[in-house]
């Protein structure tokens, strides 16, 4: 067995010298190096921004979506959408563990895992697409993948279905960061609040703000917002188009007694929503961009342009304990779990 770099740089083909995530092409030969893990893939959970882009390009036709996914993986050696740059994650069964890793990790062949590093850097070889579930961005496949030594993973829990765990772990970074960022008494605005990560963030924010705080949810569909209110995942909610900043700001402030927010969280899956997130936040507040459709340029120049001295956080997909915090939400809240079962499984 050959020895590999902890970060997987030994698999980078093009351009030379970059890490696998930034590479245009990586080596997806399914013969492992001594510090890699070979995974027999069950399903891919394509990142929402990526899946939405492919779906639109393919006119929502499953065959065309499948062809596009195969094309991307054949060209890049990984499932990284060339337009959004994003990936997603996968679930599978550990098939083989490199000799140099065997004694260092708590995994053995046969364990079922979810990879918690993006598909945008994971060597992947798809033999066949078995089915495409457009409503939940999921692609069932016959495929193999490689996890690098630095690659994060979670063993799939026994007390919930694989698909339920996969749905939640896909967005694990967001609720876990909300858990660390939101303090008692904070006012929190969430854009895209009735989506998958939105609901988890809203639930977590409600827990963290306590009786003196306030969580206001926004999304574009009224019915979905009713569901959030009914389940007490927010104090108040309003429908609005996150690509229309003035409209969103006006409604957002009206739902917070005219005051600007301490924190705004963006979990929308479309472009041009930066200013709707920035405008309603007070000077010294926090703007948290989890959305992969966020533009650094638009956020940075936009905040400067309106003279907002806010701290802007890029939604790192990983924060310590993110898988545990996220799965715990589904154990704590029967209603959140029931909604996830209904919508994403
Ligand atoms: P999701 O379930 O599709 O949720 C997105 C929500 O945004 C939906 O409720 C959607 O409403 C709403 N929305 C779309 N366009 C809108 C608009 N113009 N105005 C207001 N709301 C709008 O997506 P998700 O899985 O939670 O992911 C959310 C974002 O996080 C995506 O951009 C995804 O790429 C990103 N993400 C980031 C990481 C990371 O590591 N940072 C990891 C995973 C995902 P409809 O349902 O009506 O369209």
């Amino acid at each position: 067995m050959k020895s590999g770099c902890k970060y997987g740089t030994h698999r980078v083909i093009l351009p030379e010298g970059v890490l696998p995530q930034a590479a245009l092409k990586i080596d997806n030969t399914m013969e492992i190096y001594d510090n890699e893990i070979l995974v027999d893939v069950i399903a891919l959970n394509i990142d929402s921004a990526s899946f939405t882009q492919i779906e639109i390009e393919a006119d929502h036709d499953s065959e065309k979506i499948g062809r596009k996914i195969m094309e991307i993986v054949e060209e890049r050696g990984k499932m990284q959408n060339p337009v959004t740059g994003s990936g997603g994650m996968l679930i599978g069964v550990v098939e083989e563990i490199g000799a140099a890793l065997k004694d260092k990790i708590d995994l053995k062949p046969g364990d079922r895992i979810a990879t918690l590093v993006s598909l945008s850097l994971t060597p992947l070889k798809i033999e066949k697409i078995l089915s495409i579930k457009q409503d939940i961005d999921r692609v069932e496949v016959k495929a193999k993948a490689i996890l690098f030594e630095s690659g994060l993973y979670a063993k799939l829990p026994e007390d919930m279905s694989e698909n339920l765990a996969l749905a939640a772990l896909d967005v694990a970074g967001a609720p876990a960061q909300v858990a660390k960022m939101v303090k008692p008494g904070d006012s929190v605005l969430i854009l895209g609040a009735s989506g998958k990560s939105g609901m988890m963030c809203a639930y977590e924010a409600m827990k963290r703000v306590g009786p003196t705080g306030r969580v206001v949810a926004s999304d574009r569909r009224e019915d979905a917002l009713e569901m959030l209110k009914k389940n007490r995942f927010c104090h108040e909610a309003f429908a609005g188009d996150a690509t229309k900043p003035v409209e969103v700001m006006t409604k957002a402030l009206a739902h917070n007694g005219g005051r600007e927010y301490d924190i705004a969280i963006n979990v929308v899956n479309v472009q041009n929503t930066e200013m709707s997130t920035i405008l309603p936040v007070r000077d010294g507040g926090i703007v948290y961009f989890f959305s992969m459709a966020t533009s650094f340029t638009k956020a940075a120049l936009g905040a400067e342009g309106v003279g907002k001295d806010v701290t802007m956080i890029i939604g790192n997909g990983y924060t310590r304990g993110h898988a545990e915090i996220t799965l715990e939400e589904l154990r704590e809240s029967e209603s959140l779990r029931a909604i996830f079962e209904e919508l994403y499984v």
Side-chain angles (χ1 to χ4, degrees):
M1 255 181 207
K2 289 184 278 182
S3 291
C5 155
K6 168 178 172 177
Y7 303 114
T9 53
H10 52 281
R11 290 219 175 233
V12 172
I13 298 174
L14 259 179
E16 270 179 47
V18 303
L19 286 160
Q21 213 272 338
L24 293 175
K25 190 173 180 61
I26 59 173
D27 171 15
N28 64 349
T29 320
M30 288 297 141
E31 194 180 308
I32 59 168
Y33 284 64
D34 70 353
N35 62 344
E36 292 180 337
I37 299 169
L38 179 65
V39 182
D40 190 20
V41 183
I42 299 168
L44 309 174
N45 214 64
I46 308 285
D47 165 71
S48 176
S50 167
F51 198 83
T52 304
Q53 188 278 325
I54 294 173
E55 231 178 359
I56 293 169
E57 192 182 307
D59 298 325
H60 295 261
D61 177 304
S62 286
E63 247 175 61
K64 284 191 200 160
I65 294 174
R67 272 205 299 280
K68 184 71 197 170
I69 290 170
M70 291 297 278
E71 203 181 288
I72 292 173
V73 175
E74 266 158 35
E75 196 178 306
R76 298 194 158 215
K78 55 181 179 169
M79 181 49 215
Q80 181 179 35
N81 183 318
V83 180
T84 62
S86 56
M89 35 101 66
L90 61 83
I91 50 170
V93 180
V94 174
E95 190 170 312
E96 191 184 354
I97 302 172
L101 262 192
K102 268 188 185 131
D103 300 330
K104 286 195 199 163
I105 56 172
D106 61 342
L107 277 186
K108 55 181 185 330
D111 282 346
R112 299 172 97 75
I113 59 166
T115 61
L116 299 178
V117 279
S118 173
L119 289 177
S120 65
L121 59 85
T122 304
L124 177 70
K125 191 163 250 177
I126 303 180
E127 196 180 310
K128 201 174 171 200
I129 290 185
L130 303 175
S131 75
I132 295 183
K133 302 200 158 114
Q134 286 195 46
D135 50 337
I136 53 172
D137 309 349
R138 185 145 328 141
V139 184
E140 287 172 349
V141 286
K142 190 165 167 27
K144 306 269 183 212
I146 302 266
L147 196 57
F148 301 132
E149 185 177 342
S150 59
L152 304 164
Y153 58 84
K155 277 199 219 179
L156 289 170
E158 312 239 306
D159 59 345
M160 59 185 81
S161 72
E162 275 167 9
N163 283 339
L164 178 62
L166 178 63
L169 290 171
D170 176 38
V171 293
Q177 270 159 12
V178 168
K180 294 175 186 183
M181 196 166 63
V182 175
K183 304 275 174 289
D186 278 347
S187 54
V188 181
L189 171 67
I190 304 175
L191 302 183
S194 55
K196 190 159 60 162
S197 48
M199 265 188 284
M200 298 204 103
C201 289
Y203 172 81
E204 195 65 43
M206 283 294 277
K207 218 165 83 181
R208 303 285 161 179
V209 298
T212 55
R214 187 175 187 77
V215 177
V216 176
S218 178
D219 210 300
R220 58 181 167 186
R221 284 183 296 120
E222 285 281 2
D223 56 333
L225 292 167
E226 280 308 314
M227 176 273 293
L228 289 181
K229 277 200 284 192
K230 198 178 100 202
N231 287 290
R232 293 203 45 79
F233 294 162
C234 62
H235 293 100
E236 284 199 38
F238 67 91
D241 179 351
T243 63
K244 307 233 163 73
V246 178
E247 175 195 318
V248 170
M249 179 189 65
T250 309
K251 290 182 179 173
L253 298 190
H255 282 81
N256 194 34
R259 287 182 301 278
E260 292 177 325
Y261 288 76
D262 297 308
I263 300 175
I265 296 166
N266 183 321
V267 273
V268 178
N269 60 347
V270 295
Q271 294 184 355
N272 298 319
T273 62
E274 293 80 2
M275 292 315 291
S276 295
T277 328
I278 292 168
L279 278 182
V281 175
R282 67 170 170 81
D283 269 359
I286 298 175
V287 178
Y288 175 63
F289 288 113
F290 190 69
S291 167
M292 286 290 169
T294 306
S295 151
F296 177 88
T297 317
K298 287 177 189 165
L301 295 179
E304 178 197 270
V306 293
K308 278 272 172 188
D309 182 4
V310 290
T311 301
M312 293 193 274
I313 300 180
I314 295 177
N316 182 346
Y318 173 62
T319 181
R320 199 180 293 277
H322 69 333
E324 292 78 4
I325 292 173
T326 301
L327 294 176
E328 203 49 36
E329 282 194 4
L330 295 176
R331 296 187 181 109
E332 271 171 16
S333 168
E334 266 177 40
S335 45
L336 185 65
R337 184 167 175 153
I339 295 167
F340 262 62
E341 298 268 14
E342 190 191 324
L343 295 180
Y344 304 120
V345 175

